[in-house]
């Protein structure tokens, strides 16, 4: 059985809930990623911040990215997946929640991220095709 842990990108770096959207943008550029998990002072996952969130909710709204906190951009409870879940759960979870990236947790600890590209590289073509179709519709 292929698990989420087998195909995730390990050691996901967080942006603190009290850190700025500007710092998040710099971190994304430095790491070459389009999303960062938002972690609170308690080290718990608060959400996921995407580059699109920064563009739409901050820049396009004429807000100062140095003044907006990452935690203020989190929307509801983050959709996550367990590190030891079967990899097929990635497809179901991404499709059900219409997301392209999932924080991977082990208990309550963030251990990585799994993205649509990770799935495309690791799983059989028909399964990936179904995921892409699910994410592209609706």
């Amino acid at each position: 059985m292929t698990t989420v842990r087998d195909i995730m990108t390990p050691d996901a770096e967080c942006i603190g809930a009290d850190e700025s959207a500007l710092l998040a943008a710099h971190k994304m550029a430095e790491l070459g990623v389009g999303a960062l998990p938002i972690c609170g002072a308690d080290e718990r996952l608060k959400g996921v911040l995407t580059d699109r969130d920064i563009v739409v909710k901050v820049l396009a709204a004429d807000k100062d990215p140095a003044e907006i906190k990452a935690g203020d951009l989190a929307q509801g409870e983050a959709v996550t997946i367990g590190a030891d879940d079967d990899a097929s759960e990635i497809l179901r979870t991404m499709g059900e929640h219409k997301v392209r990236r999932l924080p991977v947790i082990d208990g309550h600890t963030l251990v990585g991220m799994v993205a649509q590209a990770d799935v495309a590289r690791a799983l059989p073509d028909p399964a990936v095709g179904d995921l892409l179709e699910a994410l592209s519709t609706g």
Side-chain angles (χ1 to χ4, degrees):
M1 169 179 94
T2 302
T3 66
V4 174
R5 190 182 307 271
D6 295 328
I7 64 173
M8 72 180 191
T9 301
D11 305 321
E13 192 164 326
C14 281
I15 186 73
D18 291 330
E19 293 180 301
S20 73
L22 181 61
L23 179 60
H26 285 294
K27 265 190 175 182
M28 285 181 197
E30 177 185 311
L31 297 170
V33 298
L36 290 171
I38 303 169
C39 296
D42 59 359
E43 295 300 315
R44 290 229 193 236
L45 184 68
K46 303 297 182 193
V48 176
L49 179 64
T50 67
D51 47 8
R52 187 176 193 284
D53 292 331
I54 294 170
V55 170
V56 173
K57 297 175 185 174
V58 180
L59 300 177
D62 293 324
K63 295 179 180 174
D64 182 353
E67 298 298 319
I68 301 297
K69 303 294 182 212
D72 294 340
L73 299 172
Q75 293 182 339
E77 193 170 324
V79 177
T80 63
I81 193 158
D84 297 318
D85 288 353
D86 188 281
S88 64
E89 277 298 300
I90 299 169
L91 300 172
R92 188 194 62 74
T93 305
M94 284 182 171
E96 181 180 320
H97 295 279
K98 303 279 190 203
V99 295
R100 290 175 163 80
R101 303 167 183 100
L102 291 169
V104 181
I105 58 170
D106 189 351
H108 293 291
T109 305
L110 178 71
V111 294
M113 290 284 284
V114 65
Q116 187 176 348
D118 299 321
V119 176
R121 281 190 294 272
L123 297 182
D125 289 347
V128 174
D130 292 345
L131 172 63
L132 293 174
E133 185 177 336
L135 293 175
S136 298
T137 58

